[in-house]
Amino acid sequence: MDLRFLDAVPDSLEREAVDAVLGPAESGWDGGERRAGDLRYARGGHAARARRDLLLPALHAVNDRTGWISPAALDYICRRLTVPPAEAYGVATFYAMFSLQARPARVVHVCTDIACAAKGADRIRAELAERLGPPGDASGEQAGAIWHESPCLGLCERAPAALALEAGSPPRFAVAAPARAEDIAALMTPPPVDTTPSNGHRPATTFAPSPLSGGTVEPAPSAAVPQAGVPGLVLLRRIGVVDPESLDDYRAHGGYAALRQALRLGPAGVIREVVESGLVGRGGAAFPTGRKWEATARQPASPHYLVCNADESEPGTFKDRVLMEGDPFSVIEAMTIAAYATGAEKGYLYIRGEYPRALSRLENAIARARGRNLLGRDILGSGFDFDVEIRRGAGAYICGEETAVFNSIEGRRGEPRSKPPFPVERGLFGRPTTINNVETLVNVLPIMLMGGPAYARIGTGGSTGPKLFCVSGTVSRPGVYELPFGATLRDLLELSGGVAEGREIRAVLLGGAAGAFVRGDELDIPLTFEGARAAGATLGSGVVLVLDDTVDLASILVRIAAFFRDESCGQCAPCRVGTVRQEEALRRLAGGSASRRTELRVLRDVGAAMRDASICGLGQTAWNAVESAIDRLGVFAAPTTDTTEEAR
Amino acid sequence: MNTPVPLAPPRRLVDVTVDGQEVRVPEGATIMQACAQTGVSCPTLCYGDTLTPKNACRICVVEVEGARTLAPACSRPVEPGMAVRTDSDRVRHARRTVLELLGSSVDLSTTPQAQEWMEHYDARPERFGPRAAPAPMGERDARRAGEHEPPTGAVAETVEQPAKIDNDLYVRDYGKCILCYKCVDACGEQWQNTFAIGVAGRGFDARVSTEHDVALPDSACVYCGNCIEVCPTGALSFKSEFDMRAEGTWDESRQRQTTTVCTYCGVGCNVTLHVQDNEIVKVTSPHDNPVTHGNLCIKGRFGFQHVQQRRHD
Ligand SMILES: Cc1cc2nc3c(=O)[nH]c(=O)nc-3n(C[C@H](O)[C@H](O)[C@H](O)COP(=O)(O)O)c2cc1C
Ligand code: SF4
Ligand code: SF4
Ligand code: SF4
Ligand code: FES
């Protein structure tokens, strides 16, 4: 490729940050010093382009070091990886956490999404705007830090939440949750200017272990699990019980027994157990896991890949975070079993960029597992080789869509691909790929230990096993709950303490922004895939977001619409423009000035087209929650008697 | 002994029905090809006869019996026994709405057939309210992914902005861009391998851009104009066409097209000269040329001034 670069020179911090990921430049061809010998050969071809998948890590490295990606830094990355600058620019501008404009080292992400909105995020936002200036404003007093409004940070049990990230060597983070405006203001205190080179030293984890100045120490992950320590838990049994940093402790609590069992069963045996367990995906689409594994294992093309989808960005979802923070080794063990069964030697764990603590715990777990031959060559003397690489997202909900994950890992824009072909046939790097959600994978451990048929006896006929539910909103004990499939919504809400004295449940959002609302008088819905479906709802990723009668539903709907407008990848017309028109119509309706009849018609027409004609699940579900709020909750229903006539 | 060696295995034929009509097409053919065989046409915008389908515009969607969502006819391969409907209520609704969404957010005034389709599907883009004022130059390019100014709903947001005129050869008027990805694919790995432009940003703020939105002369652009060749909306146009449209002198009914051979080099590409009032006003290239598929280089595309040097004394 004959590429044209900007000829902007990166500074030493930028160069060092990139080189720490890519190694030193080899010659003048890839951005190093130009020597006479360089003129005697041309670097190019596949060899020069083969490391395209390091684009995202390289962008992160610079953003982590200096807080933004300067033209010179982007140029240097492009030279190093032989990526056209226009393409790299397209990739960098796809992600919300990257900035292509100079900005302060510290960025505070203030969640204004549904769960936080139900807990007063609007007030905090208004107060912050007054104290600190508008979001994204780096001109005022607080020039050492800026704040942005953020989609769901996955800290819903402690809503309202804020996450501060500070560039440096190493980068640091702090969480404020539940946050008051003054906690967030404290996080905005400018850090001391840091220009110290790191001498090429790479610590074991990306982020520094101690929180940045102004932040406080986060509670342990078990604080998100009100049932922690209760006997009989399957998926959450180790949370709050084991030391998440210690492999010995993990093993002392039954860790790696499942892998040993898997190695005894052999790949076909593992798949048989998973098929018999009836396990279906917990990422939202509820696809049978055994069938997916079988289909990948059968593919003649090689190599096979495994991807663990830890992007968890569905508003209201935080179960994967709790698993990764509280029991990280279980994720790695489960990935190893999945890879063994499907014939993959390489696994990628794609984790959203807003989960720095989970990232650190996983980095530690992988390093320790490697140290004990639980990853790497000839695992436990079985002859099976497998290793895991972590890839960090950078603020894009769409990158959780299974094919968008692949594009993101490959260093392309996180746009979903059209299916067919399906991932089992052509997935990551065009190879047969198994992609599973974190919770799905973790379920494989009990399946190995108790056997598929025993597992299948948990839950109902159509939905087997235990399930994690992310309870948030206006309940007294929000958190991750584990229940066997088949419990009702009422059971779950009773466990979580219900809404405050004297308040009534106005609505429960099941399945997240892509899910649907049900009413407070529909609590007998069984929490199973088939039960939710029969009730015209969905379990999705296990979101149970409770809104009592103090919450303004119209503004919640506007927030959902704004979320989809922000998170659409922009690839296909129905979703790209439809999400904008949906938000506009909802603003008109919420403002009360518009003709309800006209606006509801607009919403229904646009919604139907998005559902029918969009490429991926984002556009196809972008109208679900709004539709259910209109039809089931009667939001925007006529105040008079003509409801049936007018609301249609 | 001398049995002929087949060069490619014969393609199996697949039976499908289009609007109730049975048709037999080779395996791997697209639904659109099956439609064409029965004389049914589908509107298309992002489909390009020389490019791999991106299926981004979704205007060609059809209903496949038993499928949960509609399928893009331009790219979905047929399957044995597939039953396709191209004029069901769902299809008409999706096409109408896509036209309304695009029409309300993009200037489609130079998109061939847009008006005709709008009428056919009874699309009313004005139903979303008055159009927002065009963004000032550079504003859309500076937007950050994942955030936007909250709308009031009083106006319908558009992608309109001033045209980018930064060189003498062609103009990028992204207020007319439907984001079909064709120019990016033509400039990049499908044809030109220059990669001067890419898609930047996300969602409604996604746009075609050079790195950091630098002007074309500062980018990798080699002015082959192969992006103009594939652009379905007139967002990319010859400077000559852009200027004449601005003056109101552009008149296709008065233009003659002559296909000839470029004389600059031995490749010998076909060029089609569009002539109005004895002036070459733009140059295209036949897409069915088996060698060049409509692609040219800067010389064949823009190097025609010497032909019309006239003495002005
Ligand atoms: C817009 C969108 C976002 C998604 N985000 C996630 C996610 O964050 N995590 C996840 O596990 N699955 C997500 N999914 C579902 C994945 O596409 C895929 O179905 C899942 O990872 C498969 O794993 P499973 O079978 O174990 O559920 C998303 C889907 C869509 C359409
Ligand atoms: S539906 Fe939305 S998110 Fe999905 S591909 Fe289309 S534009 Fe992108
Ligand atoms: S400029 Fe033209 S070819 Fe390029 S994306 Fe826009 S409409 Fe398509
Ligand atoms: S268009 Fe370019 S490549 Fe083609 S014949 Fe002319 S000079 Fe040669
Ligand atoms: S022409 Fe088929 S999706 Fe655009």
Side-chain angles (χ1 to χ4, degrees):
Chain A
M1 248 192 271
D2 180 19
L3 299 181
R4 171 169 170 151
F5 301 103
L6 288 176
D7 281 327
V9 182
D11 69 23
S12 60
L13 294 185
E14 292 167 337
R15 189 181 284 267
E16 183 191 283
V18 174
D19 289 354
V21 179
L22 304 180
E26 279 168 14
S27 68
W29 286 107
D30 66 342
E33 205 181 315
R34 210 164 143 173
R35 286 178 237 101
D38 291 351
L39 298 175
R40 297 186 203 286
Y41 82 107
R43 185 172 170 274
H46 184 70
R49 294 194 302 270
R51 298 200 300 167
R52 170 75 183 246
D53 66 297
L54 292 176
L55 178 57
L56 186 56
L59 292 170
H60 263 302
V62 172
N63 199 66
D64 278 351
R65 185 67 191 85
T66 65
W68 69 296
I69 299 163
S70 71
L74 190 70
D75 208 54
Y76 182 60
I77 293 171
C78 289
R79 282 178 192 270
R80 294 300 317 276
L81 295 174
T82 315
V83 176
E87 275 195 7
Y89 179 76
V91 171
T93 52
F94 189 82
Y95 296 100
M97 293 174 80
F98 293 150
S99 175
L100 280 290
Q101 250 86 53
R103 64 173 174 184
R106 197 181 282 192
V107 182
V108 182
H109 302 267
V110 178
C111 182
T112 55
D113 219 324
I114 326 170
C116 288
K119 301 285 257 179
D122 277 358
R123 252 190 344 271
I124 293 184
R125 173 182 43 196
E127 206 174 313
L128 284 178
E130 197 170 305
R131 281 163 81 148
L132 308 170
D137 179 18
S139 61
E141 237 176 281
Q142 307 280 349
I146 54 169
W147 70 286
H148 285 289
E149 286 181 43
S150 169
C152 180
L153 291 170
L155 294 164
C156 321
E157 85 280 9
R158 282 179 277 155
L163 167 72
L165 296 170
E166 182 182 294
S169 176
R172 290 172 185 277
F173 72 95
V175 164
R180 295 162 305 167
E182 47 272 35
D183 302 326
I184 298 172
L187 283 180
M188 293 282 291
T189 326
V193 180
D194 162 33
T195 50
T196 41
S198 64
N199 303 326
H201 164 72
R202 291 195 75 187
T205 54
T206 304
F207 284 90
S210 56
L212 48 69
S213 58
T216 49
V217 177
E218 259 192 281
S222 55
V225 182
Q227 294 166 304
V230 170
L233 293 179
V234 179
L235 304 173
L236 298 176
R237 74 188 166 103
R238 275 185 290 256
I239 311 262
V241 176
V242 291
D243 173 359
E245 313 245 295
S246 160
L247 179 51
D248 289 329
D249 208 26
Y250 178 66
R251 293 176 101 161
H253 286 88
Y256 280 103
L259 177 61
R260 284 178 199 283
Q261 174 63 9
L263 295 175
R264 273 193 293 275
L265 290 171
V270 172
I271 292 180
R272 193 177 54 243
E273 296 298 328
V274 175
V275 169
E276 284 177 3
S277 74
L279 175 65
V280 303
R282 308 293 199 236
F287 189 85
T289 307
R291 251 173 59 204
K292 193 186 276 190
W293 288 17
E294 212 165 31
T296 316
R298 225 185 310 117
Q299 295 292 324
S302 69
H304 293 187
Y305 290 105
L306 171 75
V307 175
C308 171
N309 189 344
D311 193 52
E312 192 163 73
S313 307
E314 184 67 49
T317 316
F318 49 97
K319 62 191 175 68
D320 296 345
R321 187 200 89 229
V322 170
L323 288 172
M324 292 186 287
E325 289 182 349
D327 195 9
F329 289 99
S330 70
V331 182
I332 305 303
E333 182 185 358
M335 283 183 73
T336 312
I337 296 171
Y340 177 66
T342 59
E345 288 187 5
K346 175 110 197 220
Y348 289 86
L349 192 154
Y350 188 91
I351 184 170
R352 68 180 300 201
E354 295 87 343
Y355 277 1
R357 181 159 77 170
L359 173 68
S360 300
R361 297 264 159 98
L362 289 165
E363 285 171 330
N364 174 68
I366 289 171
R368 288 183 198 255
R370 276 188 196 134
R372 299 278 190 85
N373 188 224
L374 292 162
L375 285 177
R377 300 226 151 269
D378 191 17
I379 291 171
L380 297 175
S382 63
F384 165 57
D385 303 338
F386 178 64
D387 212 332
V388 177
E389 212 176 298
I390 297 183
R391 287 303 166 88
R392 184 162 36 127
Y397 165 62
I398 190 57
C399 287
E401 196 279 339
E402 54 187 7
T403 57
V405 183
F406 303 152
N407 279 339
S408 183
I409 294 175
E410 290 178 23
R412 306 189 176 275
R413 291 165 55 80
E415 293 170 357
R417 303 175 181 171
S418 41
K419 293 180 270 193
F422 291 94
V424 294
E425 208 182 309
R426 259 183 283 154
L428 186 61
F429 303 114
R431 301 290 156 181
T433 304
T434 314
I435 174 164
N436 278 121
N437 169 259
V438 172
E439 182 190 347
T440 312
L441 288 170
V442 168
N443 269 282
V444 171
L445 304 178
I447 292 171
M448 289 300 104
L449 295 175
M450 66 175 82
Y455 177 97
R457 284 194 288 277
I458 309 175
T460 64
S463 308
T464 62
K467 173 77 192 105
L468 300 182
F469 294 98
C470 313
V471 183
S472 65
T474 54
V475 291
S476 43
R477 282 191 303 279
V480 177
Y481 288 85
E482 177 181 323
L483 287 175
F485 274 113
T488 63
L489 183 51
R490 187 183 310 281
D491 299 335
L492 179 60
L493 294 186
E494 268 164 22
L495 258 181
S496 57
V499 294
E501 240 349 270
R503 296 263 70 96
E504 251 178 60
I505 296 178
R506 172 81 167 94
V508 181
L509 179 60
L510 292 181
F517 285 101
V518 299
R519 289 187 307 271
D521 60 9
E522 294 178 291
L523 301 187
D524 291 319
I525 294 177
L527 295 173
T528 57
F529 293 112
E530 61 278 15
R533 204 176 307 123
T538 165
L539 290 190
S541 53
V543 172
V544 178
L545 204 157
V546 182
L547 303 174
D548 70 17
D549 49 3
T550 60
V551 177
D552 173 19
L553 277 175
S555 71
I556 294 280
L557 295 189
V558 168
R559 183 64 185 91
I560 291 176
F563 172 82
F564 283 113
R565 189 257 189 236
D566 277 339
E567 301 300 331
S568 163
C569 81
Q571 185 176 209
C572 65
C575 168
R576 178 179 70 241
V577 191
T579 52
V580 172
R581 298 291 176 251
Q582 172 169 278
E583 187 190 359
E584 288 168 351
L586 282 168
R587 293 257 180 199
R588 287 193 291 270
L589 276 167
S593 58
S595 146
R596 286 188 9 270
R597 192 194 198 89
T598 318
E599 300 306 335
L600 291 178
R601 188 77 259 156
V602 164
L603 285 171
R604 284 185 203 285
D605 284 353
V606 170
M610 287 198 288
R611 180 174 292 160
D612 255 357
S614 296
I615 292 180
C616 86
L618 186 147
Q620 287 161 11
T621 60
W623 141 253
N624 284 6
V626 178
E627 180 185 38
S628 70
I630 292 169
D631 289 345
R632 281 180 108 105
L633 306 181
V635 183
F636 308 125
T640 45
T641 48
D642 54 351
T643 38
T644 44
E645 188 46 38
E646 278 253 347
R648 282 278 120 193
Chain B
M1 245 171 81
N2 284 332
T3 38
V5 182
L7 292 176
R11 286 222 272 171
R12 226 160 44 100
L13 292 178
V14 181
D15 289 312
V16 298
T17 62
V18 176
D19 295 334
Q21 216 179 315
E22 285 189 21
V23 54
R24 196 163 251 221
V25 289
E27 195 175 30
T30 62
I31 294 177
M32 196 167 77
Q33 287 164 335
C35 290
Q37 264 195 40
T38 62
V40 173
S41 77
C42 299
T44 63
L45 281 169
C46 70
Y47 173 77
D49 54 355
T50 60
L51 294 161
T52 306
K54 177 74 184 164
N55 57 71
C57 76
R58 318 302 282 182
I59 200 173
C60 68
V61 286
V62 294
E63 189 166 347
V64 173
E65 209 166 86
R68 187 174 49 88
T69 56
L70 302 178
C74 64
S75 56
R76 177 67 55 85
V78 294
E79 282 159 36
M82 203 180 230
V84 173
R85 303 223 69 91
T86 68
D87 206 33
S88 65
D89 287 346
R90 274 173 81 191
V91 170
R92 292 185 62 87
H93 177 83
R95 290 184 182 173
R96 175 192 313 123
T97 311
V98 167
L99 282 166
E100 288 176 341
L101 292 172
L102 286 175
S104 64
S105 57
V106 183
D107 171 4
L108 295 182
S109 61
T110 52
T111 304
Q113 286 187 282
Q115 216 37 53
E116 193 185 305
W117 292 332
M118 292 268 184
E119 273 154 36
H120 179 79
Y121 289 103
D122 191 23
R124 293 180 301 110
E126 61 290 349
R127 65 187 295 210
F128 302 120
R131 297 171 95 88
M137 184 71 110
E139 195 269 338
R140 279 184 56 79
D141 292 289
R143 290 191 188 169
R144 279 187 71 245
E147 62 181 24
H148 65 281
E149 278 296 314
T152 62
V155 290
E157 204 186 340
T158 74
V159 301
E160 285 163 12
Q161 59 173 341
K164 295 189 193 232
I165 309 172
D166 53 15
N167 66 86
D168 294 336
L169 301 182
Y170 80 100
V171 173
R172 297 174 295 149
D173 187 358
Y174 289 132
K176 293 178 171 170
C177 172
I178 57 158
L179 207 67
C180 71
Y181 289 66
K182 279 157 90 173
C183 54
V184 174
D185 287 345
C187 181
E189 65 192 5
Q190 291 190 31
W191 289 124
Q192 185 61 28
N193 271 283
T194 290
F195 300 93
I197 47 176
V199 176
R202 193 167 81 197
F204 193 73
D205 304 330
R207 65 253 170 202
V208 177
S209 178
T210 57
E211 63 275 16
H212 310 284
D213 186 35
V214 297
L216 274 189
D218 298 326
S219 78
C221 177
V222 296
Y223 303 94
C224 63
N226 293 332
C227 54
I228 312 170
E229 182 73 51
V230 296
C231 180
T233 62
L236 306 178
S237 67
F238 274 59
K239 180 86 166 33
S240 43
E241 173 173 349
F242 183 83
D243 289 343
M244 288 172 75
R245 281 186 188 273
E247 287 164 10
T249 52
W250 181 260
D251 184 357
E252 276 168 25
S253 68
R254 278 165 49 217
Q255 290 173 11
R256 235 184 30 244
Q257 299 182 16
T258 309
T259 299
T260 177
V261 178
C262 172
T263 54
Y264 276 108
C265 88
V267 176
C269 302
N270 281 168
V271 290
T272 302
L273 308 175
H274 298 237
V275 178
Q276 179 177 331
D277 301 333
N278 211 25
E279 296 274 341
I280 298 170
V281 292
K282 78 170 173 186
V283 176
T284 58
S285 178
H287 290 197
D288 58 0
N289 183 302
V291 177
T292 57
H293 303 278
N295 295 295
L296 294 173
C297 79
I298 183 173
K299 290 178 275 182
R301 184 79 65 188
F302 291 110
F304 52 78
Q305 286 77 3
H306 67 285
V307 181
Q308 45 198 32
Q309 287 302 325
R310 296 188 187 88
R311 294 176 57 174
H312 291 290
D313 51 13

Short mmCIF file of all heavy atoms in Angstrom, two decimals, chain A residues 14-31:
data_model
loop_
_atom_site.label_atom_id
_atom_site.label_comp_id
_atom_site.label_asym_id
_atom_site.label_seq_id
_atom_site.Cartn_x
_atom_site.Cartn_y
_atom_site.Cartn_z
N GLU A 14 4.05 10.11 23.34
CA GLU A 14 3.19 9.41 22.38
C GLU A 14 3.94 8.23 21.77
O GLU A 14 3.43 7.11 21.68
CB GLU A 14 2.71 10.37 21.29
CG GLU A 14 1.74 11.42 21.81
CD GLU A 14 1.51 12.57 20.84
OE1 GLU A 14 2.37 12.83 19.96
OE2 GLU A 14 0.46 13.22 20.96
N ARG A 15 5.15 8.49 21.35
CA ARG A 15 5.94 7.44 20.73
C ARG A 15 6.17 6.28 21.71
O ARG A 15 6.01 5.11 21.37
CB ARG A 15 7.29 8.03 20.28
CG ARG A 15 8.12 7.10 19.43
CD ARG A 15 9.43 7.77 19.05
NE ARG A 15 9.26 8.78 18.02
CZ ARG A 15 9.42 8.53 16.72
NH1 ARG A 15 9.72 7.32 16.31
NH2 ARG A 15 9.28 9.48 15.83
N GLU A 16 6.48 6.66 22.93
CA GLU A 16 6.74 5.64 23.94
C GLU A 16 5.48 4.80 24.20
O GLU A 16 5.55 3.58 24.33
CB GLU A 16 7.18 6.34 25.21
CG GLU A 16 7.56 5.43 26.32
CD GLU A 16 7.71 6.23 27.60
OE1 GLU A 16 8.74 6.90 27.75
OE2 GLU A 16 6.78 6.19 28.43
N ALA A 17 4.33 5.48 24.25
CA ALA A 17 3.09 4.76 24.53
C ALA A 17 2.79 3.76 23.41
O ALA A 17 2.41 2.61 23.66
CB ALA A 17 1.93 5.75 24.68
N VAL A 18 2.98 4.19 22.17
CA VAL A 18 2.71 3.30 21.04
C VAL A 18 3.73 2.16 21.01
O VAL A 18 3.37 0.99 20.84
CB VAL A 18 2.73 4.09 19.71
CG1 VAL A 18 2.59 3.15 18.52
CG2 VAL A 18 1.62 5.14 19.71
N ASP A 19 4.99 2.50 21.22
CA ASP A 19 6.03 1.47 21.17
C ASP A 19 5.84 0.42 22.27
O ASP A 19 6.22 -0.74 22.11
CB ASP A 19 7.43 2.10 21.28
CG ASP A 19 7.80 2.85 20.01
OD1 ASP A 19 7.03 2.78 19.04
OD2 ASP A 19 8.85 3.53 19.99
N ALA A 20 5.26 0.86 23.39
CA ALA A 20 5.03 -0.10 24.48
C ALA A 20 4.06 -1.20 24.03
O ALA A 20 4.12 -2.32 24.51
CB ALA A 20 4.49 0.61 25.71
N VAL A 21 3.17 -0.88 23.09
CA VAL A 21 2.24 -1.89 22.59
C VAL A 21 2.81 -2.62 21.38
O VAL A 21 2.66 -3.83 21.24
CB VAL A 21 0.90 -1.24 22.18
CG1 VAL A 21 -0.06 -2.28 21.64
CG2 VAL A 21 0.28 -0.52 23.36
N LEU A 22 3.47 -1.88 20.51
CA LEU A 22 3.87 -2.46 19.22
C LEU A 22 5.33 -2.86 19.17
O LEU A 22 5.77 -3.45 18.18
CB LEU A 22 3.60 -1.45 18.09
CG LEU A 22 2.16 -0.92 17.97
CD1 LEU A 22 2.06 0.06 16.81
CD2 LEU A 22 1.18 -2.06 17.78
N GLY A 23 6.09 -2.53 20.19
CA GLY A 23 7.53 -2.77 20.12
C GLY A 23 8.17 -1.63 19.33
O GLY A 23 7.47 -0.84 18.69
N PRO A 24 9.49 -1.53 19.38
CA PRO A 24 10.15 -0.43 18.67
C PRO A 24 10.00 -0.57 17.15
O PRO A 24 9.84 -1.67 16.64
CB PRO A 24 11.61 -0.55 19.10
CG PRO A 24 11.76 -1.95 19.60
CD PRO A 24 10.43 -2.40 20.08
N ALA A 25 10.02 0.56 16.46
CA ALA A 25 9.92 0.54 15.01
C ALA A 25 11.14 -0.14 14.42
O ALA A 25 12.25 -0.04 14.96
CB ALA A 25 9.82 1.97 14.48
N GLU A 26 10.93 -0.85 13.30
CA GLU A 26 12.03 -1.61 12.72
C GLU A 26 12.89 -0.78 11.79
O GLU A 26 14.08 -1.02 11.64
CB GLU A 26 11.47 -2.80 11.93
CG GLU A 26 11.12 -3.96 12.84
CD GLU A 26 10.30 -5.01 12.10
OE1 GLU A 26 10.24 -4.97 10.85
OE2 GLU A 26 9.71 -5.86 12.79
N SER A 27 12.28 0.18 11.10
CA SER A 27 13.01 0.92 10.09
C SER A 27 12.29 2.23 9.81
O SER A 27 11.25 2.52 10.40
CB SER A 27 13.09 0.10 8.80
OG SER A 27 11.78 0.00 8.24
N GLY A 28 12.84 2.97 8.88
CA GLY A 28 12.18 4.21 8.47
C GLY A 28 10.82 3.94 7.86
O GLY A 28 9.94 4.80 7.87
N TRP A 29 10.64 2.75 7.34
CA TRP A 29 9.37 2.43 6.69
C TRP A 29 8.19 2.45 7.65
O TRP A 29 7.08 2.80 7.29
CB TRP A 29 9.43 1.04 6.03
CG TRP A 29 10.23 1.02 4.79
CD1 TRP A 29 11.47 0.48 4.65
CD2 TRP A 29 9.88 1.57 3.53
NE1 TRP A 29 11.92 0.65 3.37
CE2 TRP A 29 10.96 1.32 2.66
CE3 TRP A 29 8.78 2.26 3.04
CZ2 TRP A 29 10.96 1.73 1.31
CZ3 TRP A 29 8.76 2.66 1.71
CH2 TRP A 29 9.85 2.39 0.87
N ASP A 30 8.43 2.01 8.86
CA ASP A 30 7.29 1.98 9.78
C ASP A 30 7.44 3.01 10.89
O ASP A 30 7.02 2.80 12.01
CB ASP A 30 7.05 0.56 10.33
CG ASP A 30 8.16 0.06 11.23
OD1 ASP A 30 9.27 0.63 11.16
OD2 ASP A 30 7.92 -0.88 11.99
N GLY A 31 8.01 4.14 10.55
CA GLY A 31 7.97 5.26 11.47
C GLY A 31 9.20 5.40 12.34
O GLY A 31 9.29 6.30 13.16
#
